[in-house]
Structures are given as C-alpha cells and as structure tokens.
Amino acid sequence: MAENSEINEAKLNSSPSRGMTDQEKEMAASAYEAFLSGKYEESLKHLEALQELNKEDYKITMNKAVAEFYKSGQTTMGTLKQTLMAMKNQLHTTAEDVDGLDDVENSLLYYNQAILHYHMRQYSEAICIAEKLYQFLEPFEKFAQAVCFLLVDLYLLTFQPEKALHLLAVLDKISVQGSNKNGKGESNSSNKEGLTQKAESSAMIEAAKSKIHQYKVRAYIQMKSSKACKREIKSVMNTAGNSAPSLFLKSNFEYLRGNYRKAVKLLNSSNIAEHFGPIKTGECVRCMFWNNLGCIHFAMGKNNLGIFYFKKALQENDHTCAQLGDGRNNQCKKLTGIPFCALLSNKRYELLYNCGVQLLHAARPLAAFECLMEAVQVYHSNPRLWLRLAECCISANKGGSEQESKSLPCKKGIVQSVIGTGYHRKIVLASQSSQNTNYSEGQSAAIPVASMEFAAICLRNALLLLPEHQQQDIRAENGSKNSSLSGSTESGSENSDPCSGKSQEADKFFSASPSSPVRKQEVENLRCSILACSAYVALALGDNLMALHHAEKLLHQTKVSGSLKFLGHLYAAEALISLDRISDAITHLNPENISDVSSGVLSSEQDQGHEKGDEPIEPSAKKIPLCYPSSVTTARAMMLFNLGSAYCLRSEYDKARKCLHQAASVMDSKEIPPEAILLGVYLELQNGNTQLALQIIKRNQLLPTTVHRSSPDSRKKPSQSFQSVQPIYLPSSFTQVQRK
C-alpha cells in the first residue's frame, strides 16, 4: 500500500568560503535570504555580483544553477543535472574519492546529485552517494540530518527497513541533543531575537520527531512487526494528530493485522481534500487513497470492487499527470516541463501491476494480460510478474471448467452431440476435454498474446531471473558466519554499518519491484510454482520431454509443498504416458505418493511477523478452484482415476475397474470428473455391457454394478483418441499477489 514519504529538495549553499571579505559575506547572506523568501530574480542578481568579485569559487556557480532551477518552477532538471556533472568533472572527484568528501562544501554538490537521482528513481546511485556522504560528515550537524533523512527514505523505497531503523536511531540522538541544547541556552538569552530563534528551533525539533515516528511506522510495516508498529502508531497520532499521513499509516497498520473494515474507516476519515497537491509534496494523495482501498478490498476477496478502485486510482493518476504536463500530452514521459518534486507522483505502472493481479483473480485473464504486459516494460526484472503473465495465458486457454457450478458435473464434458431420433438416436462422446484455445495461430511465439507459446517464454524468463541454488547456499554460509549482523529487528543492528553495503540485508532478498522483494525463504516456493506451470504449459504444447523434465525437477525440490507435489506426479505421469512409458507413469500415479494437498506456503507478505512473535497475519480471502481436490482423500481418488486410465492402456481392465470403483466409493458423486465417467463407459463397453454404459451416460454418474465378463476375443484395444490422463489445471489459489 502506498504511504506518505517526505521529499528532500536541493539546497542553496549559504555558508561563505574561508577568507571572504565582509562585503562578500553580506552579499552571500542577502542572496540566501532572497532565495528562502522565493525572490529568485533578486537572489540571482546578488549571486552574479558576488561572482564578479570571486570568479574561482565553484559554489557560487552551483548556487546560481539552483536558483535558476527554482526560478523556472523546478522544470529544468536536465539543465541542472548537466551543470552539476560539469562541476564534478571540474573538481576531478568522484563518490569513491575519499579526499574529495572531507570538505563539507564539496559534499553539498554530491548531495544535490543524490537528490536528482532520488527523484529520477535511480535509487542505487542515490544510495551510493548518500552512504559516502554519511561516512564523512559530523553526526550532529544540520546537513548530516538532511543526509540521514534522505538515506532513510531511500532504504524504505528499496525495502531495507533494518538499515532505515539504524539511521532513525541516530536521528533520535540528534533531536534529543538539539532539544537539550535549546533548553540550556534558554536562560542565557533575554532578547526577543534569541527567544524567536529558540521557538523556531523547538518547532523544527518537534517536526523532526514527528517525521522520525512516521518513518519508524513505515519501517515496522515493511518488517511486518505489529507490536513495535503499534507503539509507534500511538506516537504518530500524538505528534501529527488526525492528519492524512498519520491516518494513512494507521490504516496500513490495521490492514496488516487483517482489520480490513477498520482500515477502510480510517481511510475514509482522512480529509484528502486539504492535502497539498503533487506539485508541493510530490505525491498524489487521492491516487494513493483509491489504490489503498483497492488493496483492502482485494484482501477481503471482493475482486470487482478492488478493480473499480484501482481503475479510479489510474484515472486520478492520469489526470494528475495531465495537469503536471501543462496540457501538452506528455503525461510525465519527459523530464522537461514537469516540476522536479512531482516526478515521483506518477504511479501508473505500479497501479497497472495491482490492477492486473486483481483482474487475474477476478477470472478476467485477457484484461489482466493487457495490464501486466504494460507493467512488464518497466519491471522486466521481476520474476513474479513473468509468472503472473504466464498464469494469464494459462487461464485464458484452459476452458470454462471453473465456471461450472457445484451441482452435478456438466454433461458437455461427456456428450459432444446427439444425432437422430428414436431408434436411430446416437450419442457422440467427447474424445477429450476442450482446452488450450490457440490465440496465436500463424504468429511467432514471441509476439505478446495470451497464448501457451508465450506462456512458455514468460516462465523461462521467470526461472532465469531467480537466483541459483549455489548462490543461496553461499549467502546462507556468509550469514551464519556474520552472526553479529543479525541484530534486533526493532532497533536495527548496532554492530552492522548501514552504509557499508555488506549488511546481511543484502543476503535476505533480491528486488522484485513494484511488489515486495523476494526473500530467501520464498525463492524456493516461487521456483516450485514456476516449474509446475512450466510442466503444464509443456504438456499443453505437446512437448512431453520438456514437461517430464520440469515435473521431475519439481518433485526433486527440497521445499516443494504437498499441493505442488500432487501436480508434479500428475504432470510426470501424463508426460510418461504420452512417451509410452506406462510402467513409469504407474509409479507416479500411486495414491500413497499423496499425503498432503495444502499449499503450506507463506508469502513474503506474511512470513516475517511469525518469526518475531508478533500477532498472526490473516491471509487474503482466496477461493479454492472447483477443479482442484479439497482433501487428501479426493486427491487420491483422482490419482486412482488416472491410474485406471494407465491400466487401460496396458489392457489390464480388471485393475482399471478396481481403481475406478475404489475412487468412486470414497468420492462425492458431484466431484467425479467427466473423464472418470468416460473411463467407466469405456470399461463397460469393453465388457459388452452396452445398456449399463448408456445408463452411466444418462445419469452422468458411476454406479456400483456387478461386473459381467466378456470373452477375450470381444475386447478391443483403446481408441487412439482417448485421452488417458487429463492434467489438473494449476489453481489460481497458488498465485501469491503482491501489493504496494
């Protein structure tokens, strides 16, 4: 869910250089005062006059560039970036040059560059510069405080809450020391100016404390640490009151705890109309409001309402971008002409990601595919997003079995058509289930359409984007050796350096923007889901060898869940039967292989709170698809149905009939698939029981009957068009949806 964040701005340097005359100091002070009051023309005049007296000071050139940037309404970011880069090249220093960062005046140049990277969403570059600045600044200076706040914001945007909490502890010390100094000096000053300065300083300290509490809440929400978050929420409400940022944070906290109705109530109580627009704050609060409502209603299982709110958020976002583009139809696609602080307000691709996932769960795969295809252009390194695209293709091609009601199985899966009337009436049975509609006939598989061929490409991309097993093992060993880095989750590790880049946080996850990062314990779960989808898609495309490879690889995973293990055995058996390796398929179809059909997987949205002894997080409301077994008994019955088909291919009809009747005896008649009824019809026809076969078709159910054997000569081999083992569709309940 989107949260309020404080936007840092480029600062004008007001500190005079050493050796300046009184006249130069006075001109610098006048330029700074004019800049603070918004009189940028007057500030530029003072700076030009100051440059005439001191042409060698590059800081005056930098201040002129900043003043001109603000004079243009913060719309000439490209020009400011080029100016700062030219000055850095003139100084012949880089962020890795330690000597160039000893001077605080030079640090302002790098700070401004970090701010530019921040607003251009180049967070890695901004973190690199800000971490170097943090190492060479005095900890209790005002400038150091600005660098710390920038780093905290960057760490939260890149899902590194432990590092953010460490810096927030430093900022707490700064605010405490500042308030102590302010209190001690109060008795020494008696004039009005001193009292005014102390009042302003006290107000700044209180504002900093309120900001620190809000940042802590955001960090604890990312860590799913509900107990610590609950304490900080009280501090936020005491310092910030019922403002929009505090209510948004409290609503996010209630959403985390599963109190969805209370989260909606808190959002509705926030007066977003009074909040400043994106030009002032860099945020579109109305867009975040609709997005958060969509996330909450998704968690409540109200998919259509969630889609409605996400579309409202998209409309609000496009409207905001059109306003910022001054009606020139650029809609935030170019840097020129857009206010600097409003660049981060465009959330179009994040909203498309959310809307696509919501549409996928609302059984609208083609609409979801369109949304996710647009989002993947920006977030192409997210393995989850490629998996979602593949699931859209699978859902769009698998037919309408999930739309059937929970009544008796639909006869459309058994009877294809009826020809003639009376004594000449004949029933034509379906040879196999209708599925895998081809959306890309005559087209290349690389063309992005919702086809099974394109699904195979998406799954290959998702698998390649996951880290290898060896890399994870090495990371785990490094993490166990550096035991001092696993500090408290509430205050951050005191022994680890948050700016060194060697923290254990880098070993815990890899980025998967815009969703939450893929943590170490979730990588294997995601790999298993991708392999299960890959096996199913390969079966649909007729690539049985590749399907067998993916299914066996799935079954050899160390952390495969019971549900995916069930699918793995089915897909492996289907591939082996197609390869005429029936004996190997029968081994996979042994019902004793199935002991669990639960997913048994917590996503990264839920896994952390349990490790910290926090309150349990309620899972999102998800519907189990009708085609998937609801219990181990049902799963074993389905294995027996498929095992009977395998025995039929070896002409072992007695064994097949035994498997069929055993499965039907433990399974509800309403849950028996049409393929099993077709199998029963086939067995009765092989036995010569035509009337009983017709009775099974008419009643659409398997009946326990006396077996009438026929002579061996009257038995026929199974038809080639008979589909022996039908693959079970991958249920959408395995889809782990990520929210902002």
Side-chain angles (χ1 to χ4, degrees):
M1 298 175 70
E3 298 153 5
N4 182 55
S5 62
E6 189 71 21
I7 302 299
N8 297 278
E9 299 175 351
K11 306 295 182 181
L12 182 71
N13 178 21
S14 62
S15 302
S17 301
R18 296 178 182 177
M20 291 180 65
T21 62
D22 293 339
Q23 182 184 3
E24 291 174 343
K25 291 179 181 180
E26 184 178 350
M27 294 175 67
S30 301
Y32 184 63
E33 290 177 2
F35 176 81
L36 292 179
S37 59
K39 301 175 182 178
Y40 304 121
E41 285 279 2
E42 183 181 343
S43 179
L44 282 170
K45 290 180 181 178
H46 289 299
L47 289 172
E48 288 173 357
L50 184 60
Q51 196 170 31
E52 290 294 328
L53 300 176
N54 190 354
K55 296 182 179 180
E56 297 180 356
D57 194 348
Y58 80 93
K59 293 183 290 296
I60 300 176
T61 306
M62 181 178 69
N63 289 343
K64 282 181 62 179
V66 173
E68 288 173 354
F69 172 69
Y70 275 85
K71 178 187 172 183
S72 68
Q74 305 181 33
T75 58
T76 57
M77 193 164 103
T79 305
L80 178 62
K81 184 179 179 181
Q82 291 177 358
T83 304
L84 295 178
M85 186 63 67
M87 281 189 286
K88 190 185 80 168
N89 295 334
Q90 181 182 356
L91 293 174
H92 301 290
T93 59
T94 62
E96 287 77 21
D97 188 358
V98 177
D99 296 332
L101 293 176
D102 285 335
D103 187 6
V104 177
E105 306 299 332
N106 291 346
S107 299
L108 286 172
L109 172 62
Y110 290 98
Y111 176 75
N112 288 339
Q113 279 191 318
I115 291 293
L116 287 176
H117 287 304
Y118 169 83
H119 285 280
M120 293 173 68
R121 307 193 187 195
Q122 299 170 349
Y123 301 133
S124 298
E125 291 83 353
I127 288 175
C128 181
I129 295 173
E131 285 179 346
K132 287 290 182 181
L133 286 174
Y134 178 81
Q135 294 178 20
F136 297 99
L137 291 176
E138 291 295 327
F140 298 105
E141 289 183 353
K142 185 178 179 181
F143 179 62
Q145 183 178 352
V147 173
C148 285
F149 274 124
L150 174 62
L151 261 178
V152 168
D153 228 337
L154 288 167
Y155 285 146
L156 291 177
L157 286 170
T158 54
F159 296 96
Q160 302 181 67
E162 286 86 353
K163 290 185 178 182
L165 286 173
H166 178 88
L167 285 177
L168 289 171
V170 175
L171 286 168
D172 261 335
K173 294 178 182 178
I174 294 176
S175 60
V176 169
Q177 188 174 16
S179 59
N180 291 338
K181 287 183 179 180
N182 192 30
K184 290 180 181 179
E186 189 172 340
S187 59
N188 298 332
S189 58
S190 57
N191 53 8
K192 292 183 179 180
E193 292 183 2
L195 293 175
T196 303
Q197 290 179 357
K198 285 178 175 56
E200 292 177 355
S201 177
S202 178
M204 290 177 62
I205 291 172
E206 290 301 319
K209 286 182 178 179
S210 177
K211 191 189 300 185
I212 289 170
H213 288 307
Q214 292 183 24
Y215 277 129
K216 284 185 177 180
V217 171
R218 290 177 57 190
Y220 289 133
I221 286 175
Q222 284 191 7
M223 296 167 62
K224 314 300 176 192
S225 182
S226 58
K227 288 185 178 179
C229 187
K230 188 175 183 179
R231 292 196 302 266
E232 291 298 330
I233 282 287
K234 294 180 180 179
S235 301
V236 169
M237 301 305 294
N238 290 334
T239 55
N242 290 329
S243 61
S246 59
L247 289 174
F248 269 55
L249 288 172
K250 190 171 183 180
S251 172
N252 202 336
F253 169 66
E254 296 298 337
Y255 166 84
L256 173 68
R257 301 174 66 190
N259 298 331
Y260 302 127
R261 294 187 181 278
K262 188 173 182 180
V264 172
K265 186 177 180 180
L266 287 167
L267 278 179
N268 290 329
S269 64
S270 61
N271 193 353
I272 58 177
E274 295 181 358
H275 200 269
F276 295 106
I279 296 179
K280 291 285 186 182
T281 63
E283 295 172 336
C284 180
V285 179
R286 294 181 64 85
C287 177
M288 291 192 297
F289 172 79
W290 295 118
N291 173 72
N292 291 0
L293 279 179
C295 292
I296 294 170
H297 283 85
F298 165 77
M300 295 169 69
K302 299 179 180 180
N303 295 326
N304 292 323
L305 268 177
I307 293 169
F308 170 77
Y309 289 126
F310 284 133
K311 286 184 176 179
K312 291 278 288 184
L314 276 167
Q315 292 172 2
E316 193 68 40
N317 183 78
D318 292 342
H319 176 68
T320 301
C321 289
Q323 285 183 329
L324 296 176
D326 294 331
R328 285 176 286 184
N329 296 324
N330 54 13
Q331 290 194 2
C332 298
K333 292 182 180 179
K334 298 180 181 178
L335 296 180
T336 305
I338 300 173
F340 169 67
C341 63
L343 288 175
L344 290 175
S345 63
N346 184 18
K347 305 291 184 183
R348 175 172 178 78
Y349 295 101
E350 293 94 325
L351 293 172
L352 283 170
Y353 183 95
N354 283 352
C355 194
V357 172
Q358 180 71 89
L359 285 165
L360 179 59
H361 277 257
R364 295 172 59 185
L366 294 178
F369 183 82
E370 296 298 326
C371 290
L372 295 178
M373 273 308 302
E374 192 170 349
V376 83
Q377 299 176 34
V378 177
Y379 302 111
H380 48 78
S381 61
N382 185 347
R384 287 201 196 100
L385 182 49
W386 288 108
L387 177 59
R388 302 293 167 259
L389 280 168
E391 288 172 344
C392 289
C393 299
I394 293 172
S395 183
N397 285 273
K398 71 181 181 180
S401 61
E402 286 189 33
Q403 280 73 32
E404 296 176 1
S405 63
K406 278 195 172 182
S407 59
L408 287 174
C410 182
K411 285 191 178 182
K412 290 182 180 179
I414 303 172
V415 180
Q416 183 174 344
S417 61
V418 179
I419 301 174
T421 58
Y423 290 105
H424 303 286
R425 183 169 175 263
K426 294 184 178 180
I427 298 174
V428 181
L429 300 182
S431 60
Q432 57 182 4
S433 298
S434 58
Q435 60 177 354
N436 304 331
T437 307
N438 195 351
Y439 284 88
S440 61
E441 187 174 358
Q443 295 180 345
S444 170
I447 296 177
V449 293
S451 64
M452 300 300 274
E453 292 84 358
F454 188 72
I457 295 176
C458 293
L459 291 168
R460 194 179 304 123
N461 291 344
L463 203 57
L464 290 172
L465 286 169
L466 289 178
E468 294 296 330
H469 295 275
Q470 294 179 355
Q471 295 178 0
Q472 295 179 51
D473 294 340
I474 293 173
R475 287 178 178 178
E477 291 176 5
N478 293 338
S480 61
K481 290 178 181 178
N482 301 328
S483 58
S484 61
L485 299 181
S486 57
S488 172
T489 56
E490 295 189 3
S491 61
S493 175
E494 296 295 335
N495 299 327
S496 61
D497 187 359
C499 306
S500 63
K502 297 179 181 179
S503 171
Q504 192 187 20
E505 185 70 13
D507 296 329
K508 284 187 177 180
F509 65 85
F510 68 91
S511 177
S513 298
S515 58
S516 57
V518 181
R519 300 190 175 271
K520 182 180 175 182
Q521 59 267 31
E522 191 187 357
V523 172
E524 289 305 309
N525 301 329
L526 188 57
R527 192 190 308 278
C528 292
S529 297
I530 295 171
L531 288 172
C533 283
S534 300
Y536 175 79
V537 170
L539 283 173
L541 295 174
D543 193 350
N544 298 306
L545 281 174
M546 186 57 68
L548 180 61
H549 169 73
H550 288 309
E552 289 181 341
K553 192 174 181 181
L554 171 63
L555 293 173
H556 283 91
Q557 298 297 309
T558 56
K559 295 184 179 180
V560 60
S561 62
S563 54
L564 292 182
K565 188 177 180 181
F566 167 71
L567 293 178
H569 283 297
L570 279 183
Y571 296 159
E574 174 74 13
L576 287 167
I577 286 177
S578 299
L579 294 170
D580 201 22
R581 295 167 55 184
I582 301 174
S583 298
D584 295 333
I586 289 175
T587 304
H588 281 284
L589 292 174
N590 185 358
E592 298 301 323
N593 291 335
I594 306 304
S595 58
D596 180 25
V597 291
S598 62
S599 60
V601 175
L602 283 177
S603 68
S604 61
E605 298 283 329
Q606 305 169 3
D607 57 1
Q608 289 178 289
H610 297 285
E611 297 175 3
K612 301 172 179 62
D614 290 330
E615 301 171 10
I617 301 171
E618 291 187 11
S620 302
K622 297 176 181 177
K623 295 181 180 179
I624 299 176
L626 302 182
C627 62
Y628 194 77
S630 57
S631 64
V632 175
T633 302
T634 308
R636 289 183 174 180
M638 297 184 75
M639 295 288 276
L640 286 169
F641 287 138
N642 290 325
L643 184 59
S645 296
Y647 281 134
C648 276
L649 292 176
R650 295 205 309 191
S651 299
E652 297 179 1
Y653 301 116
D654 290 338
K655 290 183 179 179
R657 189 176 293 103
K658 183 179 179 181
C659 291
L660 187 65
H661 286 207
Q662 183 181 350
S665 64
V666 299
M667 195 174 187
D668 188 356
S669 60
K670 296 181 180 180
E671 297 180 356
I672 296 176
E675 292 83 7
I677 295 177
L678 283 174
L679 178 60
V681 172
Y682 175 78
L683 288 172
E684 296 306 329
L685 289 175
Q686 284 293 324
N687 233 5
N689 297 330
T690 307
Q691 293 300 322
L692 185 55
L694 285 172
Q695 188 179 7
I696 291 174
I697 295 172
K698 290 177 180 179
R699 296 194 178 186
N700 198 31
Q701 61 183 1
L702 293 172
L703 297 175
T705 58
T706 305
V707 178
H708 300 283
R709 296 184 178 273
S710 60
S711 62
D713 295 337
S714 65
R715 298 180 181 179
K716 298 180 181 180
K717 292 186 178 180
S719 172
Q720 295 297 326
S721 63
F722 178 70
Q723 184 71 18
S724 58
V725 182
Q726 292 295 329
I728 306 301
Y729 306 126
L730 182 68
S732 60
S733 62
F734 291 157
T735 304
Q736 299 170 0
V737 176
Q738 306 303 319
R739 314 172 187 86
K740 283 189 64 62

